[in-house]
Amino acid sequence: RVWGASSFGGGESAGMMVPGSAGMAIQMANEAKASAAAGGKGTSSSLFASDNNLTTVLLISGPAGTGKSELVQRLIEDSGGKLVPPKRIDIIAEPILYEQLLAKEEILQVDDTGRYALTKDGILSAGRKPNNVNEDENDIGQVVVVDADVKLCKKLVNVSGARLVGVWIGLDELEKFELNLNKQLDSGVIPIPDDETKESVLCAKIREIVKDIEYGVVSGIFEFSVLNDDFHKSLLQLKSAADYCFE
């Protein structure tokens, strides 16, 4: 089920071009809970139980202008420690290590500040796995949450040792993307180079968004989609997708 489908170039809606299903997260989480209640611990639906050698990664992606990062931050804050961000290398504090990893092509991403770098190990070692915790049946480990653009997604699908649970964050109309981008351009969040205009930057961003949506649809790595028209409703849907990781 996809919510809020409406006009989107050539008669298609952006809502119809999202991977997975916005309602599927809640459905699958509820089914997994019911199965666990009926059969006890260790049901086949458990992502942790199937292979403790893999790190479960909640991969949250989507185009620019969707409010994705704000949702991810709030999701982690509200999780009570069950969801954790990946570890990052402080390039200023550890310049030699950074240069070594860069030479080995092990740097997956450097953040917008240019200070913190993401590596495969920073993802795989961030979450506490079930077999590494105290013998408490209520402590089932942690899930690593990665806030990823499409470029990073393409790298993560090739990372061994990770079990990806993909969630796509989108909007149902291109006009909404344009509205959000205009706000970011006006506020300076998105810089306008001296040799370009606001309109040229906006057009380039829209083209990039369309390409990102196409990747999301054809990649096959996103089980769930959330159309972020309402922050609180979207957060609840995202939390349901996260709950699925623990069932």
Side-chain angles (χ1 to χ4, degrees):
R1 185 178 63 179
V2 177
W3 295 309
S6 58
S7 178
F8 180 76
E12 286 186 302
S13 71
M16 296 305 293
M17 292 182 64
V18 292
S21 169
M24 191 60 72
I26 297 173
Q27 178 182 339
M28 293 182 73
N30 288 339
E31 288 176 352
K33 289 177 181 179
S35 176
K41 292 180 60 181
T43 63
S44 60
S45 63
S46 173
L47 293 181
F48 279 121
S50 59
D51 189 345
N52 284 343
N53 292 322
L54 296 178
T55 297
T56 301
V57 176
L58 184 61
L59 176 62
I60 304 176
S61 188
T66 60
K68 169 175 59 69
S69 295
E70 291 82 357
L71 283 169
V72 171
Q73 181 178 350
R74 182 65 177 274
L75 176 70
I76 294 174
E77 290 174 353
D78 290 357
S79 72
K82 294 194 302 180
L83 304 174
V84 295
K87 299 175 182 178
R88 292 181 180 267
I89 295 172
D90 187 330
I91 297 174
I92 294 178
E94 301 179 279
I96 296 177
L97 175 60
Y98 171 72
E99 291 296 336
Q100 290 173 339
L101 294 173
L102 188 63
K104 296 178 182 179
E105 298 184 346
E106 294 185 15
I107 300 297
L108 297 175
Q109 182 193 61
V110 176
D111 73 349
D112 292 338
T113 69
R115 177 167 181 174
Y116 298 100
L118 180 65
T119 66
K120 169 185 172 180
D121 184 65
I123 294 173
L124 299 182
S125 65
R128 186 179 60 238
K129 296 181 181 179
N131 57 342
N132 293 332
V133 299
N134 297 327
E135 295 183 0
D136 181 354
E137 63 179 11
N138 294 318
D139 195 345
I140 58 174
Q142 295 171 315
V143 168
V144 182
V145 181
V146 178
D147 177 2
D149 57 19
V150 167
K151 183 178 179 180
L152 179 57
C153 277
K154 293 177 179 179
K155 295 179 180 179
L156 292 181
V157 295
N158 296 315
V159 170
S160 59
R163 181 191 295 105
L164 300 180
V165 177
V167 181
W168 183 263
I169 307 294
L171 298 173
D172 62 349
E173 296 178 356
L174 271 183
E175 288 77 7
K176 293 180 180 179
F177 284 107
E178 185 174 347
L179 178 62
N180 289 342
L181 289 172
N182 268 309
K183 291 179 180 178
Q184 292 177 325
L185 286 165
D186 291 339
S187 66
V189 173
I190 298 177
I192 302 174
D194 293 337
D195 58 346
E196 292 196 49
T197 65
K198 176 183 176 181
E199 289 71 23
S200 67
V201 173
L202 179 62
C203 288
K205 290 292 184 181
I206 291 295
R207 286 195 295 269
E208 183 178 330
I209 285 170
V210 172
K211 289 181 180 179
D212 286 350
I213 293 173
E214 290 172 350
Y215 171 80
V217 172
V218 303
S219 66
I221 64 174
F222 299 103
E223 290 93 333
F224 311 119
S225 292
V226 174
L227 300 182
N228 187 22
D229 286 329
D230 180 280
F231 182 87
H232 296 290
K233 289 181 180 178
S234 298
L235 182 61
L236 289 176
Q237 294 160 21
L238 192 54
K239 287 180 177 180
S240 292
D243 286 343
Y244 174 67
C245 296
F246 294 95
E247 298 300 335

